[in-house]
Amino acid sequence: MRFLLFMFVFHVIVQQCGAMLHPIDFLALQAIRKNLNDLPGSIFFSSWDFTSDPCSFAGVYCAGDKVIALNLGDPRAGSPGLTGRLNPAIGKLSALAEFTVVPGKIFGVLPESFSQLNNLRFLGVSRNFLSGRIPAGLGKLRRLQTLDLSFNQLTGNIPWAIGTLPALNNVILCHNHLSGSVPPFVSLRLTRLDLKHNALSGSLLPMSLPSSLQYLSMSSNQLTGPVDHLLTRLNRLNYLDLSLNRFTGCIPGNLFRFPITNLQLQRNQFTGRIYPAGLVTIPVVDLSFNRFYGEISPLFSGVQILYMNNNRFMGQVPGIMVDRLLSANIHVLYLQHNFLTGIAINPAAEIPVRTSLCLQYNCMVLPVQTPCPLKAGKQKSRPTAQCVQWKG
C-alpha cells in the first residue's frame, strides 16, 4: 500500500513540476538524504526539495529518467562537508556512473550495495570517517576506473577481486588501517596506485603490478622481500615511494633511467652496490637508512637533492659531485653515517648559501665544517676501530 501511495503522489508531482525521474531513483535519493546532514556552515542540501525535480538538486545529474552522477557536498575548498551514514539505497541507482562525497564526517561502513552499480566508473569517498572493510563486491564493478577511499579508517584486507578489475586507472587507498598482502593488479590502464600509510605486509611478486604504472606509493607499511625484478618492468614511473618498509635485495641500475622526478627508497633494508645505467637526472633521490655499500657512483652527480646517509658507502666522494655542489647544481648532499674516507674539497671553499652538505660520522677528518641535521649527532668522525674493521 505504501508503494502504491508513493506512486500516486509521485505522478502528481510529475504532472505539477515536469519531473521525469524514475520512481526507484526518486526513492533512493530520499533514503540517501534521510541519512545525511550538512555540517555547520554547509548549505548543500538546501536545494533538495522533493516537491521539485530531483534532477535540479545540487550534486545530482540525470540522463533521461535516471541518476548518472551523485556528487554529495559542496566541492569548494574549505567547505564543511556532510555528516551521517551512506544509505544502502545507493545501490538502487542502477545507471550511476559517478559517486563522490566531499571531505567531512561521513561515518559507518561503505554499503555492500555498491556492488550492484554495474555502470559505476568513479567512486570517491576520501577524507571522511568510513570504517569497516572494503566490500568485496566492488570486485564486480568491471567498468570501475577510479577507486579513492583514502584518508578514512578502513580495516581488513584489500579484496583480491579489486585487483582483477580490467578498467582501473587510479587506486587510492592511502591513510587507512588496511592489512594483509597487496593483491596483484591486472589492469593495463592502471597509472596510479597509492597504498601508503597502512599496515600492509608480505612481498610483491615480479608480475604483480602492470608496466603502465606512472605513480606508485607504498610508503609506511610493513612490506618485505626483494623488488628488483618488479621495478625493472615499471619503466613508465615518474614517482616512486617505497620508503619506511622492510624491502630487501638490490636496486636495478635501469631504475635510474626511468622518467622519475622523485625517488624515495629510504628506511628499508636494501643492500648491495648501486650501478646506475647512466647519468642520474632524477631531481630528488633518497637512498638513506639502508644497507647499500661500495663506492658512490659519480653518475649521481646529476641529482639536485641527494640523500645517501646512514648506509655503508666507502671510498672517496666523487670529485664531480664536489664541483657540482660548489656551483650550486647540487642543492642537498647528505653523506653522513657512512664509511667514506675522503672528499677532495678545499677547506677554504665557500659552500653556496642555499646548499646543504653533511659529512659527519665517516672515516675521515672533516675538511670543511658544515651544518648538519640534529639527528646526525655530535660526533664528527667515526671511531677508528669501526673504520679498520669495516675496511678489513
Side-chain angles (χ1 to χ4, degrees):
M1 287 296 293
R2 286 185 178 180
F3 184 73
L4 292 175
L5 179 60
F6 164 77
M7 290 297 294
F8 174 76
V9 174
F10 179 81
H11 284 296
V12 170
I13 294 173
V14 168
Q15 291 174 358
Q16 290 179 348
C17 65
M20 297 297 292
L21 189 65
H22 193 283
I24 292 179
D25 286 36
F26 187 94
L27 281 172
L29 289 178
Q30 280 192 321
I32 292 166
R33 171 65 182 92
K34 186 177 180 180
N35 279 28
L36 296 173
N37 289 293
D38 284 302
L39 285 169
S42 172
I43 57 171
F44 175 77
F45 281 123
S46 62
S47 67
W48 282 48
D49 177 1
F50 284 93
T51 63
S52 61
D53 179 9
C55 292
S56 67
F57 293 178
V60 178
Y61 302 88
C62 303
D65 64 345
K66 305 293 288 182
V67 176
I68 59 169
L70 187 56
N71 306 131
L72 296 175
D74 186 342
R76 291 176 295 184
S79 63
L82 308 175
T83 185
R85 297 176 181 270
L86 298 179
N87 193 293
I90 291 169
K92 299 293 185 181
L93 301 174
S94 58
L96 197 67
E98 178 178 318
F99 180 81
T100 64
V101 181
V102 300
K105 295 184 179 179
I106 302 297
F107 55 89
V109 301
L110 194 70
E112 292 279 353
S113 60
F114 271 98
S115 64
Q116 302 169 20
L117 301 175
N118 295 324
N119 293 303
L120 196 65
R121 291 176 171 80
F122 191 106
L123 174 56
V125 188
S126 65
R127 296 182 185 274
N128 277 278
F129 292 85
L130 291 177
S131 58
R133 293 176 172 269
I134 298 174
L138 295 185
K140 299 177 182 178
L141 306 180
R142 309 300 287 175
R143 297 182 180 181
L144 190 64
Q145 297 174 8
T146 294
L147 176 62
D148 184 356
L149 302 175
S150 58
F151 292 90
N152 280 288
Q153 299 175 3
L154 297 169
T155 56
N157 296 350
I158 301 173
W160 214 254
I162 288 178
T164 68
L165 296 177
L168 283 177
N169 290 329
N170 304 286
V171 176
I172 308 170
L173 302 175
C174 58
H175 291 271
N176 279 286
H177 307 296
L178 299 171
S179 58
S181 58
V182 177
F185 286 86
V186 303
S187 173
L188 298 179
R189 302 176 184 178
L190 187 64
T191 58
R192 183 183 183 98
L193 180 60
D194 191 345
L195 304 178
K196 64 177 174 284
H197 288 275
N198 280 288
L200 298 167
S201 59
S203 57
L204 302 176
L205 297 176
M207 302 299 292
S208 61
L209 299 177
S211 59
S212 55
L213 276 174
Q214 298 176 22
Y215 180 106
L216 176 60
S217 181
M218 299 274 190
S219 175
S220 300
N221 280 285
Q222 300 164 20
L223 297 165
T224 58
V227 291
D228 51 330
H229 294 298
L230 171 65
L231 293 179
T232 298
R233 296 177 42 255
L234 305 182
N235 59 0
R236 299 180 189 176
L237 285 173
N238 55 50
Y239 181 91
L240 176 61
D241 187 354
L242 301 180
S243 63
L244 289 151
N245 280 285
R246 302 170 189 168
F247 289 120
T248 57
C250 60
I251 297 299
N254 68 330
L255 175 68
F256 299 99
R257 298 298 301 271
F258 296 169
I260 298 173
T261 58
N262 196 318
L263 178 60
Q264 304 287 326
L265 300 178
Q266 69 270 24
R267 295 184 183 274
N268 278 283
Q269 298 172 19
F270 289 122
T271 188
R273 300 175 185 269
I274 302 178
Y275 297 108
L279 180 66
V280 183
T281 56
I282 302 171
V284 180
V285 175
D286 195 339
L287 305 175
S288 63
F289 292 93
N290 279 288
R291 300 173 183 176
F292 295 120
Y293 57 82
E295 295 188 349
I296 295 175
S297 171
L299 294 173
F300 281 109
S301 60
V303 179
Q304 296 175 24
I305 298 175
L306 180 60
Y307 301 98
M308 306 187 85
N309 54 286
N310 295 82
N311 278 285
R312 300 171 183 176
F313 291 113
M314 55 191 299
Q316 292 272 326
V317 177
I320 190 171
M321 276 190 170
V322 177
D323 295 339
R324 289 185 61 80
L325 180 82
L326 295 177
S327 61
N329 288 303
I330 294 180
H331 303 153
V332 176
L333 182 59
Y334 277 9
L335 301 175
Q336 68 269 23
H337 286 260
N338 279 288
F339 292 83
L340 298 169
T341 54
I343 179 171
I345 186 171
N346 189 327
E350 292 188 8
I351 308 295
V353 175
R354 296 184 180 181
T355 296
S356 296
L357 170 66
C358 184
L359 296 169
Q360 279 185 207
Y361 211 70
N362 276 286
C363 298
M364 59 177 163
V365 176
L366 300 185
V368 290
Q369 300 298 320
T370 57
C372 286
L374 291 176
K375 291 182 179 180
K378 296 182 179 180
Q379 286 185 274
K380 299 299 182 182
S381 299
R382 192 178 279 276
T384 303
Q386 289 185 15
C387 295
V388 172
Q389 183 181 10
W390 182 250
K391 186 175 180 180

